[in-house]
């Protein structure tokens, strides 16, 4: 499995924000988001191919209660099903998997953190070339989303760049049959000032529609850097 980084921090986003967790970040992605904040796992994937035993040993040294498997797109990483099975057998941890929801894999997972990509994620062709069309074609897979939310405890985490982005959410929820109480809205941005400005109008959407608001605590605490 190609691993970009492993680190101990707190969950910065979503329903479990603030919970101390060990993060395992896989490298490699089937999308190319315009605003990707981990380009070293997607646009230019880097990392080391790590045997499963080594990976488990690196996680175990922290003796965590919660493990977050993120990316990139962890659901396309080799041996993911076996890795999550071993995590449960050896450490009995709570497992969150952060995914774009375009691939289904039968994994062990306590919280499937799904971030369906809105149209604001599609890169321009002059930047991404052929990836722009592929991204737009594959970013939203309703059949896969239905399968994921039917199989796992889940949250749907949407990234908003502008108020108009909200219009895409409700039709998506209706199509896949998702619960509003499981929807989390989050501002796109990698600096505290941008997140605060966008967060103010996102909170108003949450108040009106009954969604949850998510901060990005790690950005507030550490800024946009790796390993936090």
């Amino acid at each position: 499995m190609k691993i970009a980084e492993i680190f101990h921090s707190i969950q910065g986003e979503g329903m479990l924000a603030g919970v101390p967790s060990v993060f395992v970040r896989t490298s490699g992605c089937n999308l190319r988001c315009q605003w990707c904040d981990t380009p070293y796992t997607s646009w230019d994937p880097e990392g080391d191919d790590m045997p499963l035993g080594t990976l488990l040993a690196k996680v175990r040294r922290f003796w965590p209660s919660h493990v977050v498997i993120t990316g990139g797109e962890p659901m396309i990483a080799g041996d993911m099903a076996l890795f999550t099975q071993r995590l449960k057998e050896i450490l009995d941890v709570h497992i969150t998997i952060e995914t774009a929801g375009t691939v289904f894999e039968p994994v062990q997972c306590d919280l499937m953190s799904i971030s369906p990509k809105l149209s604001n994620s599609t890169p321009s062709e002059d930047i991404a070339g052929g990836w722009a069309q592929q991204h737009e074609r594959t970013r939203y897979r309703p059949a896969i989303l239905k399968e994921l939310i039917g199989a796992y405890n889940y949250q749907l985490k949407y990234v908003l760049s502008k108020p108009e982005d909200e219009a895409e959410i409700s039709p998506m929820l209706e199509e896949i049959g998702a619960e509003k109480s499981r929807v989390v809205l989050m501002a796109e941005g990698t600096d505290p000032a941008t997140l605060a400005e966008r967060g103010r109008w996102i909170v108003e959407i949450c108040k009106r529609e009954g969604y949850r608001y998510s901060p990005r605590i790690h950005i507030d605490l550490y800024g946009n850097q790796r390993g936090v």
Side-chain angles (χ1 to χ4, degrees):
M1 193 181 302
K2 191 170 186 177
I3 302 297
E5 56 188 350
I6 302 171
F7 57 93
H8 189 205
S9 185
I10 61 167
Q11 174 58 272
E13 304 167 354
M15 294 178 177
L16 294 180
V19 176
S21 306
V22 168
F23 289 76
V24 176
R25 188 181 301 282
T26 65
S27 192
C29 191
N30 60 340
L31 298 176
R32 293 294 184 273
C33 293
Q34 173 77 24
W35 37 254
C36 179
D37 59 357
T38 57
Y40 53 93
T41 68
S42 59
W43 288 89
D44 187 21
E46 60 182 65
D48 299 315
D49 290 319
M50 196 173 295
L52 196 57
T54 301
L55 179 55
L56 288 164
K58 287 181 177 291
V59 173
R60 185 171 56 184
R61 67 182 179 176
F62 297 105
W63 288 107
S65 62
H66 288 66
V67 171
V68 179
I69 306 173
T70 186
E73 175 49 75
M75 296 290 269
I76 65 172
D79 291 332
M80 184 53 65
L82 182 57
F83 175 48
T84 58
Q85 179 185 334
R86 293 289 173 79
L87 278 175
K88 282 293 186 182
E89 291 172 351
I90 296 172
L91 296 179
D92 191 27
V93 293
H94 179 285
I95 299 174
T96 297
I97 296 181
E98 297 185 336
T99 176
T102 62
V103 177
F104 184 89
E105 181 75 16
V107 294
Q108 296 289 314
C109 181
D110 299 286
L111 178 63
M112 190 65 71
S113 181
I114 311 166
S115 183
K117 304 311 177 193
L118 304 177
S119 59
N120 64 28
S121 68
T122 302
S124 59
E125 288 192 10
D126 60 331
I127 294 175
W131 270 107
Q133 293 184 8
Q134 179 171 331
H135 178 99
E136 180 61 25
R137 186 174 62 254
T138 60
R139 65 177 174 83
Y140 175 50
R141 304 284 300 278
I144 298 296
L145 290 171
K146 287 181 182 180
E147 194 172 11
L148 287 168
I149 69 176
Y152 300 102
N153 181 40
Y154 70 94
Q155 63 181 7
L156 290 172
K157 188 171 61 178
Y158 289 96
V159 177
L160 278 64
S161 300
K162 56 188 183 303
E164 294 77 13
D165 293 338
E166 177 204 352
E168 299 179 39
I169 297 175
S170 183
M172 190 182 295
L173 299 182
E174 185 174 352
E175 181 173 16
I176 66 176
E179 300 175 23
K180 267 193 172 183
S181 62
R182 292 282 170 179
V183 174
V184 179
L185 303 189
M186 187 175 72
E188 186 274 312
T190 55
D191 66 90
T194 299
L195 295 177
E197 186 278 324
R198 292 174 174 170
R200 283 187 281 272
W201 53 259
I202 290 174
V203 163
E204 295 305 313
I205 294 173
C206 291
K207 287 161 60 177
R208 185 181 71 245
E209 299 296 331
Y211 302 142
R212 298 188 187 209
Y213 172 75
S214 175
R216 303 192 73 197
I217 300 173
H218 53 299
I219 298 292
D220 292 333
L221 290 176
Y222 306 112
N224 183 31
Q225 58 178 306
R226 295 174 63 166
V228 295

